Amino acid sequence: MDKITDRYHQPVNNDRKHLDPLFDFKEVAKRTYQLGFSALSLGIFLSVYDAFIGMYVSSFLLACFCFAILMFMILKHQEAIKDLTISIFSVLCGLLICLVLLEGLQSDQYLYFFPILIAVPLVVDLKQKNSNKPAVFVGIMIFSFITCIVIGNYVKPMEQFTAQQAAKLILVNRFTALGSTIVFAALYTFFEKKYIEEILTQSERVINTKTQFLATMGHELRTPLNGIIGVVSLLKNEQSAAKQEEYIKILQSTADHMLQQVNDILDFNKIEAGKLELHPIKINLDNFLLNTSLPFKVLTANKSVEVQTEVDKQLSTTILADDMRLTQVLNNLFANALKFTTHGYVKLKATCIKKDAKTITAGFSMEDTGIGIDKADQEKIFEGFWQVYHEDTRELAGTGLGLTICNRILRLMGSKLSLESEKGKGSKFYFELTFELAATAPVYNPIMINASSDLKQLRILLVEDNKINMMVAKKVLTGFQASVDSAYDGAEALTSLAHFPHYDIVLMDLEMPVMNGYEAIFEMKEKYPLIPVIAFTASLVDQQMLSDLLASGFNDCLLKPFTPQQLLSVIKKHVGTPQRV
Ligand code: ADP
């Protein structure tokens, strides 16, 4: 029986809420309402009390204050005012100034500035960067406090009251002002504690995720590496050419698999960090789809699974799309479908759902007659690092990241993967995409290179300091029939260009001794602006780095390690296909 296998004991938590800002703004807004209600209750109590002891003017003023607070809260609820906190604070300070005008300083009502001051950090997010709100609040407070003191000392009180009334009033004001200061201070301590606990939990979660990620990577890479080491030692002692060839094939497929895993893990990491971006170019949709399925057709030519492609004629149009990311999604779905199908067919189908003057909506589906996926597992396979362990096929190759990556890419494109599958009968993964229609067809440079003639007429300058990487890249390029000159650093590359300034393309590493790629590109572009230069790098290239590379003169960037096919296609792109928009 198949079962969902949690390979690393715990799936990576993809819940975005864990990445949300620590301070919950809704909570702050809720607290502002709570502060409003507290001020309202206290105002009603004091208004009734003032009336009770015969201070009718103060009582009326407090009633007006309560009415104002209530109005602000209603207006805020109906979204007629923007900032409830500042409105309540201004009314509170205004009330205290009016009370001092009425009663002078003798009733100690200025003591209410203390609870107001303590309440500020409860209702204003002090952790928010670049906010001048705290300064505005403190400014209002200081201004109001000084005004109260000045008025209290120099202006004659308007309402006269007896010594008995004054004693009662002082007692109530001191008691309630002190009480609310203590309550607000206790609340502030409580929320600060909660905030610190939240920070600690989050940092623990980050450490756990990192540890888990490293454990995953380690496990994923050590397993095939172990196989490679074993096969290499077998290969050393093997005399038979047939056996040697078999071992080399194993090495090749293990290395390819490892590369796929590293790319998956890097992509996943990039997506999680929100660094994946789309770079649309003009493509012809039906040509693109036929080309994408071609390698899989070749791969399954002699097998009992037929790769079928069915593309709606209406999709024969030029659109703007990130071809690389779309290929990544379709390749993943193709690879999965073929991995889990032994008989029957794997069909890529694309239909036109809607077309208008500016956009086209296409429906894509990848259908197979393979082993299918159990209902219980259908949701989980979209989570990072989850795989279904099939006991019959013993298939668990992969990282369990493929579908997660597909889904994230599609989400960036405004879509989502759906699945219909029945155990034992097959699966169908499908999604819809809307593309902008391009006004003109893709423009190709005159030097077109087709797959069979490869890079025959090209002369390439390869700049790389690592001897093994140089040897491999040179072998691959000469394998495609290009003529290759090598340079081991930027300075050597410039010397080569001075001798022969007609290279078709320069492939240059970034990190090199003597003169690195970043330094060399300036001189290269100044002297030979028409020669395309491609950067090689093993670093994680985000949009910022890519923009910097393009701005400094590089025409493109190829991530190491790369496959011969990737190297070929980047060269073809710059000596024969359109520029990215
Ligand atoms: P991986 O990169 O390991 O293939 P995926 O995220 O692409 O991971 O797939 C997760 C799991 O979903 C696979 O382990 C497999 O069990 C299941 N799965 C994906 N596609 C198919 C399919 N076409 N048929 C059957 N099972 C599939």
Side-chain angles (χ1 to χ4, degrees), residues 336 339-340 368 373 381 387-388 390 398-400 402-403 427 429:
N336 274 349
K339 192 155 78 181
F340 298 108
D368 66 60
I373 304 163
I381 56 165
Q387 292 183 306
V388 183
H390 306 280
T399 47
L403 293 174
S427 313
F429 287 87

Side-chain angles (χ1 to χ4, degrees), residues 96 107-116 145 170 173-175 177-178 180-181:
L96 291 174
S107 59
D108 279 0
Q109 65 294 81
Y110 58 90
L111 289 179
Y112 285 110
F113 277 110
F114 290 106
I116 297 176
F145 187 71
I170 287 170
N173 281 344
R174 282 184 187 172
F175 182 75
L178 186 70
S180 35
T181 307

